Amino acid sequence: MVSQPKRPTSQPIVLTSHPTRFGPKPDALEWGSANPTKRGPIVGTVTTPAHRNVIGTHSGSYAVYRALAIASGKLDANHRADLTNTSPAARIGPYPAWSDPDKIVSLDPFGAIVGEVYTKFYEKGYDIRPTIAITKAHINMPELQDAVSKGRLQEDGQIMKKGGDLVVTKAAIEPVWYLPGLAKRLSVDESILRRTLFEQTGGMFPELVTRPDLKIFLPPIGGMTVYIVGDPDAIADPQKSLTVRVHDECNGSDVFGSDICTCRPYLVHGIEECIRTAQAGGAGVIVYFRKEGRALGEVTKFLVYNARKRQAGGDRADAYFARTECVAGVQDMRFQELMPDVLHWLGITRIDRFISMSDMKHDAVTDSGIEIIERVPIPDELIPADARVEIEAKKAAGYYTKADVLTEEELAAIQGRGLE
């Protein structure tokens, strides 16, 4: 008979994590230190409250499911992850940006190698969880098979195998927010940021306003996934060309093929361009953020769809953003200012081909110090008929600027780094 995990026993409930006057204090974090030991580990687990040095817990929104598993007796509350053989399948970094507190404020650059750099803490009984996991995989999409059949892509046996299997390195990243840096990035006072986060989560995290000594917040939100095509070392090599697509989640289009927007076509186009660059000796990067409906959420998105389709005159470009704002109160909540952090984690200093028309994305990347050589729009033939309203609305609203046109000399320079 298989024994079942015990339900949590009755224990004193701690409503705040204020250290006692004479008791042990959480290990301080020195964000931006190049030495991970000096920087200190991110300890967001609840097994030993005295070790916690952050607000919130690991696993983002999935922490709630963990609580359900414990409450129902399916998971032992004291379980510690066995991290044997879970180390990264590919090495990323370290890069200079890892030690710049202004470059990375929304993820832990050491998050994938905690088992390597914090062994002494593990020996002392600390329960430190990785916030980044890196593995290798194959992906296969019908559009890529179609591109092979039409001769746009080649099965080279290494990057693209027979049958259209694309070989990738992928990294899953949980959000880790350094609150002082986040406030600085958004140009708000840290105390205002903390109080607003506290109030707008219904008081879920009182330590935001009661523990100014805790600088790290693990928010209950989705993270991101990075898909690397080609050699990961080529990403930061200035002699190799690099193609990047930064994509924000759109479940309806990306997964189910909804034709009201250009999301899946643009994602697939970005993957195609990454493959071509990698096969020419460079590398390609797709960053997939969990920011459904411009971070407004899928319920809001569907409400806006209804409002757009039912208004007088039907779905119109001139009312595209207005209907969103009527429902949500704002057009966009993605805060692209935080997006470049993952690019800095990857060691990117220059992007040869940026597969995006968005001025917000472009400006966020370049303002962070990363150079963009060329911007690549979605080919006209890939735009679904029902998505024309979206394109025309964005064009009218100044959402994007026409892609930069390269001179023959600039194009030759890129080709010299391996992009054909």
Side-chain angles (χ1 to χ4, degrees):
M1 182 176 180
V2 179
S3 62
Q4 296 295 321
K6 295 180 180 179
R7 285 180 169 80
T9 57
S10 178
Q11 296 178 352
I13 296 177
V14 181
L15 297 180
T16 64
S17 64
H18 286 280
T20 62
R21 183 176 180 183
F22 303 104
K25 305 232 177 353
D27 290 273
L29 289 164
E30 189 176 320
W31 193 265
S33 174
N35 184 327
T37 302
K38 185 178 179 182
R39 199 292 302 272
I42 302 294
V43 186
T45 49
V46 296
T47 50
T48 307
H51 292 167
R52 285 173 48 79
N53 59 5
V54 302
I55 303 166
T57 66
H58 290 307
S59 301
S61 56
Y62 295 102
V64 177
Y65 287 105
R66 184 174 65 240
L68 291 181
I70 293 171
S72 63
K74 297 182 181 298
L75 174 64
D76 187 339
N78 295 314
H79 171 75
R80 290 200 179 199
D82 180 353
L83 299 176
T84 304
N85 293 329
T86 62
S87 59
R91 188 80 181 191
I92 302 292
Y95 294 111
W98 290 24
S99 57
D100 186 337
D102 290 329
K103 292 292 187 185
I104 298 179
V105 301
S106 62
L107 60 87
D108 177 11
F110 301 108
I113 54 175
V114 294
E116 172 187 332
V117 298
Y118 296 122
T119 54
K120 292 184 178 180
F121 285 89
Y122 280 107
E123 291 169 357
K124 295 178 181 178
Y126 281 71
D127 187 5
I128 305 168
R129 305 289 175 93
T131 57
I132 301 176
I134 304 172
T135 190
K136 300 243 181 211
H138 292 171
I139 62 174
N140 198 312
M141 304 173 73
E143 293 92 337
L144 298 183
Q145 297 177 17
D146 183 63
V148 170
S149 68
K150 293 180 178 177
R152 296 200 310 272
L153 291 177
Q154 304 297 320
E155 293 175 342
D156 62 303
Q158 293 184 324
I159 293 171
M160 280 204 79
K161 296 188 174 182
K162 189 174 181 179
D165 279 344
L166 175 62
V167 179
V168 298
T169 301
K170 60 182 182 180
I173 304 175
E174 293 179 0
V176 177
W177 287 1
Y178 174 56
L179 292 173
L182 198 77
K184 182 178 180 182
R185 185 81 61 86
L186 300 180
S187 300
V188 299
D189 185 89
E190 183 185 345
S191 63
I192 293 176
L193 173 64
R194 284 172 172 266
R195 177 162 291 280
T196 305
L197 287 169
F198 167 69
E199 292 174 345
Q200 295 303 313
T201 56
M204 187 183 297
F205 302 98
E207 291 164 319
L208 284 166
V209 292
T210 64
R211 291 296 303 274
D213 59 311
L214 297 181
K215 303 297 184 183
I216 307 298
F217 178 42
L218 305 181
I221 61 174
M224 72 196 84
T225 310
V226 177
Y227 290 85
I228 300 170
V229 184
D231 183 2
D233 290 338
I235 295 174
D237 187 342
Q239 302 304 313
K240 303 290 181 66
S241 59
L242 179 65
T243 292
V244 173
R245 165 71 181 167
V246 175
H247 192 89
D248 294 314
E249 178 183 33
C250 178
N251 180 63
S253 178
D254 296 341
V255 179
F256 295 100
S258 171
D259 64 353
I260 197 172
C261 62
T262 59
C263 294
R264 183 179 173 96
Y266 219 153
L267 174 61
V268 174
H269 177 57
I271 295 173
E272 268 198 55
E273 294 300 321
C274 285
I275 294 170
R276 274 192 278 272
T277 303
Q279 289 180 330
V285 171
I286 302 290
V287 183
Y288 195 92
F289 281 92
R290 292 338 187 270
K291 295 180 180 177
E292 180 67 59
R294 302 195 205 110
L296 301 172
E298 200 165 35
V299 169
T300 295
K301 177 195 277 189
F302 287 7
L303 294 175
V304 172
Y305 284 169
N306 288 344
R308 283 169 48 192
K309 296 288 187 178
R310 292 169 178 168
Q311 65 189 339
D315 199 5
R316 309 190 316 271
D318 63 333
Y320 179 87
F321 287 108
R323 293 310 296 137
T324 301
E325 196 162 353
C326 285
V327 175
V330 65
Q331 295 179 6
D332 197 314
M333 290 200 306
R334 285 175 290 184
F335 289 95
Q336 300 292 2
E337 298 95 328
L338 304 179
M339 171 265 289
D341 287 25
V342 64
L343 305 181
H344 289 294
W345 175 70
L346 290 166
I348 295 174
T349 57
R350 187 200 68 243
I351 298 171
D352 295 290
R353 307 189 80 224
F354 189 56
I355 315 300
S356 174
M357 296 187 295
S358 168
D359 283 351
M360 288 188 293
K361 290 179 181 178
H362 170 275
D363 293 348
V365 171
T366 56
D367 288 349
S368 78
I370 297 173
E371 180 184 11
I372 292 178
I373 305 299
E374 179 187 13
R375 299 168 67 180
V376 181
I378 185 172
D380 193 66
E381 63 271 18
L382 295 184
I383 301 173
D386 203 29
R388 291 286 173 182
V389 171
E390 171 202 345
I391 293 297
E392 293 305 316
K394 290 180 176 179
K395 184 186 300 183
Y399 187 87
Y400 65 88
T401 303
K402 184 178 179 181
D404 303 324
V405 178
L406 299 184
T407 64
E408 291 185 4
E409 292 78 9
E410 291 171 329
L411 183 58
I414 293 176
Q415 291 174 339
R417 291 194 295 270
L419 181 59
E420 298 176 351

